[in-house]
Amino acid sequence: MRTFLISNGRTLSQMTANEATMYRQEIERKEMSSRLISECLVTLERFCFSMPLDWILGKEEFVAAFLHLLREPSGEIQIKAAACVEKLANRKLEPKTWRQLISQLPQSIGEANAVAQTDMDEARVEAAVNGGDETPDALTIQLEFHIGLARMLSVMMSAHLANITTDKEIMSGSGPTFQSVSAFLRLLVDMLHHPSGRIAGEQINMWIALLRDPHNAKSGILTPFAQELLTCYMDCIVRIRWEDVEEETHPQSSIFAASWDDEDEYELWMTHIRSKASQLFKFLGHVEPGMVSSALNSRIQGILAQYGNGQPGDHLDPSNNQLTQQSDACFQFEALHQPVEYVLNGVPSWAVEDNKQQNRQDNKREMTRSQVRNALAQLANAIVSWSPNYLWLKFWRAALLDSLKTYWKYEPSTLLPAIESLFGYMSGPDEWRSSPSPTNEQEQDISTETTGLRKKSGVALVSISKNVPQHLVPWLSQLSNATNSLLSSNKLLPMSEMHMYEFLSCVATAVEEPVARSTFVANVLASSLNTLESPEVTQSISSVDSLLASIGVTNESNLEARMTDPENVKAVTDRYCRMFSSVNQLLSVGKRCHEAARKRYKNFIPLQDLSIPVVDLHASHFPDEGPVSIQELSLNDPFAPLAHRILPVVTQILDVTLGIWHPDRQAMLLPNSIQRYALAISDDEAYLSQKHDSKNGGVFGEGGTAGSVVAGVDRRATNLVPRWSGWLNELRNTCFQLLGMFAGERVLYAPEVAGFFPKFVSVIADPVHLQAMEHRHFNQFLKQFMEILMLSCPVTLYASHLGPIIGPVFEHMKLRMQLTWAPITNPTAAPSIPDLGKALTSSACTAAAGLASRGGDDWYASYYSRACIFVGDLDSVTAESVVEKYRIELTRTYGDTLQTVLALKGDWALVLATQAKEEQAAKRNDTSKLTTGPHNQITEKGGPVNADGTPRSDSRIAVDARKSLRITALCHFMFLENEGIAGSITLTVIQCLEIPDAYTSRRCTRICHRILETVAWSPRYTPILANQMFLVAVKNIVTEPKWMVGLEWDMINLLRDVYCRLVLGQVLQPGGQGPGVQQLKDPLNPTQFEQAKTVDRPLQGGGILVAPSSIPRQILASLPGLDEVALRDLENKMNEKRTAKDQKDVLRDFLRIAAENSARQEGGRGTGIFDRAIKEESLLNQKVGKVTVQDIPEKLVTQSMVNRRNKKEEEPPQGLGAFRLFS
């Protein structure tokens, strides 16, 4: 009827009554049919996901129906039909079926598009006939269908990548299958040109997977699409102004409004697409370097020509006529630096290196190399020669210059002009200010935009110097003069000064001659060292009172007025900045020197004249595994010679800073309404304790915590009080990092430092300091110093240098952990102190001061129970979240530190993983494993790699040999050579098993396994391992607390490890893995077992207790509902079936009986974290009462199925049955 009206030029209002009735009936019939088919497709979608494929694909018309319905838009039929095909695509299709589908899908989609185009043409004619003004937008109407289609097609390809790489026709680049796949990919690429980025977002994972596989790169199947992929995704990551969409001024407003509900959803999508696009750009650069480099160059040239001068000059700031972030030009350049950086990172080195270093016999590579070098040379010249006038364009130019650092490794001809530009940006005038006054430019507040430019330029400068310092060495003198000129001009922000120092230190590390290198670094830092040795700083750090007075915490009568006096605020701030900036500059330069030292050809082996023979990974001694002089260390690290000047000052700063938190000092500060805030947390720390949306503006934004610790005042105000907490945090953490760096450089163990080392130990391991540190201080102390100290200390110095420090620290940690969690884990046994465990606020300071003045156990019980935190005027909800945050962080940091030093994570764990990989390769006689890394990253071929894919040089092998020695020796020292350290660590770790934090508990079970592997054979440890570790694990399983849900297997595996080693005489693999290896009975003493051969090698499994202990048996027999008979049955089963799964299942079934009896005695299950988990949550009850449905032993064939089959054979196909996919 509709076609009839259109063909006759008639409108709906011109129909007769009879025609109108027929028209309505036709519309209703179509709507009812559409609803019926749509509901059927919902059912069929589930059918496609779960039913056997032979049922589905055995009928040709089943899939053909979905392809046919792709052309029907009414009732969302085409969307649901595409969803059905997507479900099938997620299944593992046979290669033949998959090939047939990808050959038919482009044709079916083409037919659907043709039908859609016809419908839209008719709709336009109908609108014109009816006198309508609005023309329907086909892309907007079909958007959901196109999104579903893109998702379905992407899944069809990405779920069957093996069908591509194993097909000889596709890999050879010819044949029907190759043509079908090419046509399929062409359809996907054509869809990328859709205005909505949602289409590209659905496809990006598929393209990354295709590009990542090296077989696809060799076949050339992706070559025709590489340039379009780059262009489309570069278009996709260009932002749009959402206000243009809302106001419908954007040409594609209707499509964008249909794609995203609001600006927040659009921004979230943009974040995700950009994060994934970085991988895509990198793989594109690696697979097709020539084509992609040329396309990228063309794109940049075009954008520079179109937007380089700020065109079209829209969205200007009215106060200064500068471009804003909402300008079109800013959007274009913002989206440009990401593809430039990641494409250059992905381009293989052979494609960029000078052809003199390459083999010219490969003509194809030679052509690609020439193309890449020419394109990148033009690209670099265009960016370096671009001279924008607008501030925001300068910002994005600095970002683009930073992204060129990879290219400058091979062609540095444009490097020096870029450095000069960045120097100019860091010291240029504040162009955002409409009319800056030349006379007081240094004193006025710098605009946020100019600060951002200077920060970006400084970061780019440091980044470039870290990557290509060798190319800047020839100009080191000129660069040094230019830098000194800028530093003396007083035009730089403190942050920019820091960047300048880092830049010079990075360049200096590339100087080959060690003495010249050290001399230059010393000259760079001369000003900072002189400041720290000046009378002003010496006086400020002479005592705790002097330090407090230097930052304005004084006892003056008019203290409140002095805190807001502008002159006093400026004087105190300048004095602090001089001291802190000097310390921070030392840290920054030291880090750069240390990083560069690790990359040298000896890879931080300190003795350069030491000839390294073939390294024995299991050697017991190395000549340099002991004290090394600073002179020898300076051959690699130019920062080392400065240690004798820096270390005493830093130690003194740390001594007086930690002294502020001593109980007697807190008793003096807390009662004072102003001075107390020196002990408070900062607004930033309060902000980080809560979850916030990244778009709310941070601590100073909406919902931020600025002005909440010191009520109504934040650090941006002319007031000293809210600045104290941040200043002391910076000072303390910087000192911790400097000491950690000296430990990592091995300066602490040098003979020249031996005379100062006792003083250093007296400060760093002072029991009063350790007790007074807040949890947030202690966390930094563990990660920034203690962990590095234990990893870097030579084996021969454990007793003299390591023991005196880690002994008091771990002994104190046991008390700290116990008192921190006492109000949570055992509230009835906690001391009766008011408000135990609650955050300390300003209103309770007087009472806390009285408790601090008395000191003793009550003070520390209260102090640790609130995580040592003083929250000032913070609200109660945020205050409690702060306390909880630092309480949890303490246990997690402690567990992570122990895991690192026991080689369960981190660098040492990588050493063990690499050794295991090498051993596996040797057993299988497969050397290819030595040169391949993880499958999800690009690895340059040519040499051995570590387990994580990083290059493995000869010097790295030598370093790993020393690390392997330390891994074994440190474990032995901590648990078998020093009884005090061993007891403190073991008891604290056992205590952590009961802490209601899944992260901590799971990691502590891993530490317990390492302890068992090391000491289970020693009878001295049996009471601790059996009476405490085993008992706690059993308690956690039997009581089934809610916080334990998800950790049951970890705890059961720990029980298995203890029981096998202490009772059954079975040794396990590291981590409690693998089957139990039964040790034989000792022929001379039948009541004992023979010791395992690996008893002195914990990393290979360790040993057992040869005389079985009865304590674990007594613990299990004492559980409710269990007796000796059940225990003998348990042991018989564990002896008969020794696989890990069987033994853990036996233990689970055994403990379930005790748990059920214990639950009945308790009389119910609660809802708190310590209450018993409900039956559905408990692992112990997973198999109980579970109903299983047995499979039918043969294929079910009903009479109706036989009848339908016979009828089908007799009649010709009708309707959709005639549309054959698998003909």
Side-chain angles (χ1 to χ4, degrees), residues 580-603:
F580 172 71
S581 296
S582 300
V583 177
N584 200 27
Q585 286 162 9
L586 294 174
L587 175 63
S588 301
V589 173
K591 282 183 175 179
R592 304 306 175 195
C593 294
H594 188 55
E595 291 172 3
R598 296 176 65 88
K599 297 178 182 178
R600 298 192 190 283
Y601 70 99
K602 288 295 184 180
N603 205 357

PDB file of all heavy atoms in Angstrom, residues 580-603:
ATOM      1  N   PHE A 580      64.723  22.174  51.184  1.00  0.00           N
ATOM      2  CA  PHE A 580      64.114  21.020  50.534  1.00  0.00           C
ATOM      3  C   PHE A 580      64.528  20.906  49.066  1.00  0.00           C
ATOM      4  O   PHE A 580      64.786  19.811  48.571  1.00  0.00           O
ATOM      5  CB  PHE A 580      62.586  21.084  50.629  1.00  0.00           C
ATOM      6  CG  PHE A 580      61.911  20.016  49.820  1.00  0.00           C
ATOM      7  CD1 PHE A 580      61.957  18.693  50.220  1.00  0.00           C
ATOM      8  CD2 PHE A 580      61.259  20.323  48.627  1.00  0.00           C
ATOM      9  CE1 PHE A 580      61.359  17.700  49.472  1.00  0.00           C
ATOM     10  CE2 PHE A 580      60.661  19.341  47.869  1.00  0.00           C
ATOM     11  CZ  PHE A 580      60.712  18.018  48.292  1.00  0.00           C
ATOM     12  N   SER A 581      64.590  22.053  48.364  1.00  0.00           N
ATOM     13  CA  SER A 581      64.968  22.001  46.955  1.00  0.00           C
ATOM     14  C   SER A 581      66.364  21.416  46.791  1.00  0.00           C
ATOM     15  O   SER A 581      66.626  20.648  45.859  1.00  0.00           O
ATOM     16  CB  SER A 581      64.916  23.401  46.337  1.00  0.00           C
ATOM     17  OG  SER A 581      63.593  23.900  46.337  1.00  0.00           O
ATOM     18  N   SER A 582      67.252  21.735  47.708  1.00  0.00           N
ATOM     19  CA  SER A 582      68.610  21.192  47.631  1.00  0.00           C
ATOM     20  C   SER A 582      68.594  19.678  47.818  1.00  0.00           C
ATOM     21  O   SER A 582      69.247  18.938  47.071  1.00  0.00           O
ATOM     22  CB  SER A 582      69.501  21.848  48.697  1.00  0.00           C
ATOM     23  OG  SER A 582      69.569  23.243  48.499  1.00  0.00           O
ATOM     24  N   VAL A 583      67.846  19.207  48.803  1.00  0.00           N
ATOM     25  CA  VAL A 583      67.760  17.756  49.028  1.00  0.00           C
ATOM     26  C   VAL A 583      67.092  17.073  47.841  1.00  0.00           C
ATOM     27  O   VAL A 583      67.540  16.012  47.367  1.00  0.00           O
ATOM     28  CB  VAL A 583      66.984  17.469  50.330  1.00  0.00           C
ATOM     29  CG1 VAL A 583      66.817  15.964  50.539  1.00  0.00           C
ATOM     30  CG2 VAL A 583      67.684  18.089  51.520  1.00  0.00           C
ATOM     31  N   ASN A 584      66.039  17.690  47.332  1.00  0.00           N
ATOM     32  CA  ASN A 584      65.310  17.084  46.221  1.00  0.00           C
ATOM     33  C   ASN A 584      66.144  17.066  44.944  1.00  0.00           C
ATOM     34  O   ASN A 584      66.067  16.128  44.149  1.00  0.00           O
ATOM     35  CB  ASN A 584      64.006  17.844  45.988  1.00  0.00           C
ATOM     36  CG  ASN A 584      62.991  17.032  45.217  1.00  0.00           C
ATOM     37  OD1 ASN A 584      63.008  15.802  45.270  1.00  0.00           O
ATOM     38  ND2 ASN A 584      62.119  17.700  44.497  1.00  0.00           N
ATOM     39  N   GLN A 585      66.951  18.100  44.737  1.00  0.00           N
ATOM     40  CA  GLN A 585      67.829  18.113  43.568  1.00  0.00           C
ATOM     41  C   GLN A 585      68.871  17.007  43.656  1.00  0.00           C
ATOM     42  O   GLN A 585      69.186  16.358  42.656  1.00  0.00           O
ATOM     43  CB  GLN A 585      68.499  19.484  43.446  1.00  0.00           C
ATOM     44  CG  GLN A 585      67.563  20.581  42.961  1.00  0.00           C
ATOM     45  CD  GLN A 585      68.086  21.968  43.257  1.00  0.00           C
ATOM     46  OE1 GLN A 585      69.224  22.135  43.689  1.00  0.00           O
ATOM     47  NE2 GLN A 585      67.247  22.985  43.042  1.00  0.00           N
ATOM     48  N   LEU A 586      69.382  16.765  44.837  1.00  0.00           N
ATOM     49  CA  LEU A 586      70.322  15.660  45.015  1.00  0.00           C
ATOM     50  C   LEU A 586      69.663  14.329  44.686  1.00  0.00           C
ATOM     51  O   LEU A 586      70.262  13.474  44.026  1.00  0.00           O
ATOM     52  CB  LEU A 586      70.837  15.636  46.458  1.00  0.00           C
ATOM     53  CG  LEU A 586      71.709  16.816  46.901  1.00  0.00           C
ATOM     54  CD1 LEU A 586      72.017  16.706  48.383  1.00  0.00           C
ATOM     55  CD2 LEU A 586      72.992  16.866  46.091  1.00  0.00           C
ATOM     56  N   LEU A 587      68.439  14.163  45.152  1.00  0.00           N
ATOM     57  CA  LEU A 587      67.726  12.915  44.868  1.00  0.00           C
ATOM     58  C   LEU A 587      67.477  12.746  43.378  1.00  0.00           C
ATOM     59  O   LEU A 587      67.708  11.657  42.820  1.00  0.00           O
ATOM     60  CB  LEU A 587      66.397  12.900  45.629  1.00  0.00           C
ATOM     61  CG  LEU A 587      65.479  11.709  45.348  1.00  0.00           C
ATOM     62  CD1 LEU A 587      66.132  10.402  45.775  1.00  0.00           C
ATOM     63  CD2 LEU A 587      64.138  11.887  46.047  1.00  0.00           C
ATOM     64  N   SER A 588      67.015  13.782  42.706  1.00  0.00           N
ATOM     65  CA  SER A 588      66.691  13.679  41.289  1.00  0.00           C
ATOM     66  C   SER A 588      67.925  13.353  40.457  1.00  0.00           C
ATOM     67  O   SER A 588      67.910  12.460  39.609  1.00  0.00           O
ATOM     68  CB  SER A 588      66.052  14.988  40.799  1.00  0.00           C
ATOM     69  OG  SER A 588      64.882  15.271  41.514  1.00  0.00           O
ATOM     70  N   VAL A 589      69.020  14.084  40.713  1.00  0.00           N
ATOM     71  CA  VAL A 589      70.250  13.832  39.962  1.00  0.00           C
ATOM     72  C   VAL A 589      70.802  12.453  40.303  1.00  0.00           C
ATOM     73  O   VAL A 589      71.262  11.715  39.421  1.00  0.00           O
ATOM     74  CB  VAL A 589      71.286  14.933  40.269  1.00  0.00           C
ATOM     75  CG1 VAL A 589      72.631  14.595  39.631  1.00  0.00           C
ATOM     76  CG2 VAL A 589      70.773  16.279  39.770  1.00  0.00           C
ATOM     77  N   GLY A 590      70.737  12.076  41.569  1.00  0.00           N
ATOM     78  CA  GLY A 590      71.223  10.753  41.957  1.00  0.00           C
ATOM     79  C   GLY A 590      70.462   9.635  41.281  1.00  0.00           C
ATOM     80  O   GLY A 590      71.058   8.627  40.854  1.00  0.00           O
ATOM     81  N   LYS A 591      69.147   9.789  41.165  1.00  0.00           N
ATOM     82  CA  LYS A 591      68.352   8.759  40.485  1.00  0.00           C
ATOM     83  C   LYS A 591      68.768   8.614  39.028  1.00  0.00           C
ATOM     84  O   LYS A 591      68.889   7.497  38.504  1.00  0.00           O
ATOM     85  CB  LYS A 591      66.864   9.106  40.579  1.00  0.00           C
ATOM     86  CG  LYS A 591      66.223   8.796  41.911  1.00  0.00           C
ATOM     87  CD  LYS A 591      64.740   9.103  41.860  1.00  0.00           C
ATOM     88  CE  LYS A 591      64.043   8.693  43.153  1.00  0.00           C
ATOM     89  NZ  LYS A 591      62.591   9.000  43.121  1.00  0.00           N
ATOM     90  N   ARG A 592      68.952   9.752  38.350  1.00  0.00           N
ATOM     91  CA  ARG A 592      69.343   9.684  36.936  1.00  0.00           C
ATOM     92  C   ARG A 592      70.710   9.024  36.789  1.00  0.00           C
ATOM     93  O   ARG A 592      70.917   8.217  35.881  1.00  0.00           O
ATOM     94  CB  ARG A 592      69.376  11.090  36.329  1.00  0.00           C
ATOM     95  CG  ARG A 592      68.072  11.857  36.455  1.00  0.00           C
ATOM     96  CD  ARG A 592      66.891  11.111  35.901  1.00  0.00           C
ATOM     97  NE  ARG A 592      65.653  11.822  36.137  1.00  0.00           N
ATOM     98  CZ  ARG A 592      64.447  11.288  36.029  1.00  0.00           C
ATOM     99  NH1 ARG A 592      64.318  10.024  35.692  1.00  0.00           N
ATOM    100  NH2 ARG A 592      63.353  12.001  36.258  1.00  0.00           N
ATOM    101  N   CYS A 593      71.631   9.365  37.660  1.00  0.00           N
ATOM    102  CA  CYS A 593      72.958   8.745  37.593  1.00  0.00           C
ATOM    103  C   CYS A 593      72.880   7.244  37.871  1.00  0.00           C
ATOM    104  O   CYS A 593      73.550   6.437  37.208  1.00  0.00           O
ATOM    105  CB  CYS A 593      73.890   9.407  38.600  1.00  0.00           C
ATOM    106  SG  CYS A 593      74.275  11.142  38.249  1.00  0.00           S
ATOM    107  N   HIS A 594      72.056   6.880  38.823  1.00  0.00           N
ATOM    108  CA  HIS A 594      71.921   5.468  39.174  1.00  0.00           C
ATOM    109  C   HIS A 594      71.289   4.677  38.025  1.00  0.00           C
ATOM    110  O   HIS A 594      71.731   3.562  37.711  1.00  0.00           O
ATOM    111  CB  HIS A 594      71.077   5.347  40.442  1.00  0.00           C
ATOM    112  CG  HIS A 594      71.016   3.968  41.016  1.00  0.00           C
ATOM    113  ND1 HIS A 594      72.145   3.246  41.351  1.00  0.00           N
ATOM    114  CD2 HIS A 594      69.968   3.168  41.311  1.00  0.00           C
ATOM    115  CE1 HIS A 594      71.787   2.067  41.831  1.00  0.00           C
ATOM    116  NE2 HIS A 594      70.467   1.995  41.816  1.00  0.00           N
ATOM    117  N   GLU A 595      70.267   5.242  37.417  1.00  0.00           N
ATOM    118  CA  GLU A 595      69.633   4.574  36.274  1.00  0.00           C
ATOM    119  C   GLU A 595      70.617   4.384  35.131  1.00  0.00           C
ATOM    120  O   GLU A 595      70.669   3.319  34.504  1.00  0.00           O
ATOM    121  CB  GLU A 595      68.425   5.388  35.794  1.00  0.00           C
ATOM    122  CG  GLU A 595      67.252   5.389  36.762  1.00  0.00           C
ATOM    123  CD  GLU A 595      66.174   6.369  36.337  1.00  0.00           C
ATOM    124  OE1 GLU A 595      66.325   6.996  35.266  1.00  0.00           O
ATOM    125  OE2 GLU A 595      65.186   6.532  37.068  1.00  0.00           O
ATOM    126  N   ALA A 596      71.395   5.411  34.847  1.00  0.00           N
ATOM    127  CA  ALA A 596      72.365   5.305  33.761  1.00  0.00           C
ATOM    128  C   ALA A 596      73.452   4.288  34.099  1.00  0.00           C
ATOM    129  O   ALA A 596      73.929   3.556  33.218  1.00  0.00           O
ATOM    130  CB  ALA A 596      72.981   6.674  33.486  1.00  0.00           C
ATOM    131  N   ALA A 597      73.860   4.236  35.370  1.00  0.00           N
ATOM    132  CA  ALA A 597      74.904   3.292  35.771  1.00  0.00           C
ATOM    133  C   ALA A 597      74.460   1.855  35.547  1.00  0.00           C
ATOM    134  O   ALA A 597      75.257   0.996  35.167  1.00  0.00           O
ATOM    135  CB  ALA A 597      75.265   3.519  37.240  1.00  0.00           C
ATOM    136  N   ARG A 598      73.193   1.585  35.759  1.00  0.00           N
ATOM    137  CA  ARG A 598      72.686   0.224  35.584  1.00  0.00           C
ATOM    138  C   ARG A 598      72.654  -0.193  34.117  1.00  0.00           C
ATOM    139  O   ARG A 598      72.546  -1.378  33.807  1.00  0.00           O
ATOM    140  CB  ARG A 598      71.286   0.107  36.191  1.00  0.00           C
ATOM    141  CG  ARG A 598      71.248   0.321  37.684  1.00  0.00           C
ATOM    142  CD  ARG A 598      69.826   0.300  38.204  1.00  0.00           C
ATOM    143  NE  ARG A 598      69.210  -1.001  38.037  1.00  0.00           N
ATOM    144  CZ  ARG A 598      69.294  -1.989  38.914  1.00  0.00           C
ATOM    145  NH1 ARG A 598      69.986  -1.825  40.024  1.00  0.00           N
ATOM    146  NH2 ARG A 598      68.711  -3.149  38.702  1.00  0.00           N
ATOM    147  N   LYS A 599      72.699   0.772  33.210  1.00  0.00           N
ATOM    148  CA  LYS A 599      72.635   0.455  31.783  1.00  0.00           C
ATOM    149  C   LYS A 599      74.012   0.340  31.135  1.00  0.00           C
ATOM    150  O   LYS A 599      74.108   0.054  29.950  1.00  0.00           O
ATOM    151  CB  LYS A 599      71.829   1.535  31.048  1.00  0.00           C
ATOM    152  CG  LYS A 599      70.385   1.627  31.496  1.00  0.00           C
ATOM    153  CD  LYS A 599      69.658   2.748  30.777  1.00  0.00           C
ATOM    154  CE  LYS A 599      68.224   2.874  31.259  1.00  0.00           C
ATOM    155  NZ  LYS A 599      67.518   4.010  30.600  1.00  0.00           N
ATOM    156  N   ARG A 600      75.060   0.598  31.904  1.00  0.00           N
ATOM    157  CA  ARG A 600      76.383   0.555  31.308  1.00  0.00           C
ATOM    158  C   ARG A 600      76.763  -0.871  30.947  1.00  0.00           C
ATOM    159  O   ARG A 600      76.133  -1.839  31.367  1.00  0.00           O
ATOM    160  CB  ARG A 600      77.417   1.157  32.255  1.00  0.00           C
ATOM    161  CG  ARG A 600      77.133   2.615  32.554  1.00  0.00           C
ATOM    162  CD  ARG A 600      78.304   3.284  33.245  1.00  0.00           C
ATOM    163  NE  ARG A 600      77.886   4.598  33.726  1.00  0.00           N
ATOM    164  CZ  ARG A 600      77.755   5.654  32.964  1.00  0.00           C
ATOM    165  NH1 ARG A 600      78.034   5.574  31.679  1.00  0.00           N
ATOM    166  NH2 ARG A 600      77.342   6.808  33.463  1.00  0.00           N
ATOM    167  N   TYR A 601      77.854  -0.984  30.205  1.00  0.00           N
ATOM    168  CA  TYR A 601      78.179  -2.285  29.631  1.00  0.00           C
ATOM    169  C   TYR A 601      78.475  -3.335  30.693  1.00  0.00           C
ATOM    170  O   TYR A 601      78.330  -4.529  30.447  1.00  0.00           O
ATOM    171  CB  TYR A 601      79.354  -2.149  28.663  1.00  0.00           C
ATOM    172  CG  TYR A 601      80.699  -1.862  29.302  1.00  0.00           C
ATOM    173  CD1 TYR A 601      81.616  -2.865  29.518  1.00  0.00           C
ATOM    174  CD2 TYR A 601      81.031  -0.559  29.665  1.00  0.00           C
ATOM    175  CE1 TYR A 601      82.847  -2.592  30.080  1.00  0.00           C
ATOM    176  CE2 TYR A 601      82.253  -0.270  30.232  1.00  0.00           C
ATOM    177  CZ  TYR A 601      83.165  -1.292  30.444  1.00  0.00           C
ATOM    178  OH  TYR A 601      84.369  -1.022  31.002  1.00  0.00           O
ATOM    179  N   LYS A 602      78.861  -2.914  31.884  1.00  0.00           N
ATOM    180  CA  LYS A 602      79.053  -3.875  32.959  1.00  0.00           C
ATOM    181  C   LYS A 602      77.798  -4.044  33.802  1.00  0.00           C
ATOM    182  O   LYS A 602      77.789  -4.826  34.746  1.00  0.00           O
ATOM    183  CB  LYS A 602      80.198  -3.427  33.866  1.00  0.00           C
ATOM    184  CG  LYS A 602      81.571  -3.571  33.222  1.00  0.00           C
ATOM    185  CD  LYS A 602      81.928  -5.012  32.961  1.00  0.00           C
ATOM    186  CE  LYS A 602      83.343  -5.132  32.418  1.00  0.00           C
ATOM    187  NZ  LYS A 602      83.722  -6.516  32.144  1.00  0.00           N
ATOM    188  N   ASN A 603      76.772  -3.265  33.468  1.00  0.00           N
ATOM    189  CA  ASN A 603      75.467  -3.409  34.118  1.00  0.00           C
ATOM    190  C   ASN A 603      75.561  -3.371  35.635  1.00  0.00           C
ATOM    191  O   ASN A 603      75.059  -4.239  36.323  1.00  0.00           O
ATOM    192  CB  ASN A 603      74.775  -4.689  33.653  1.00  0.00           C
ATOM    193  CG  ASN A 603      73.269  -4.587  33.785  1.00  0.00           C
ATOM    194  OD1 ASN A 603      72.740  -3.588  34.274  1.00  0.00           O
ATOM    195  ND2 ASN A 603      72.579  -5.604  33.357  1.00  0.00           N
TER     196      ASN A 603
END
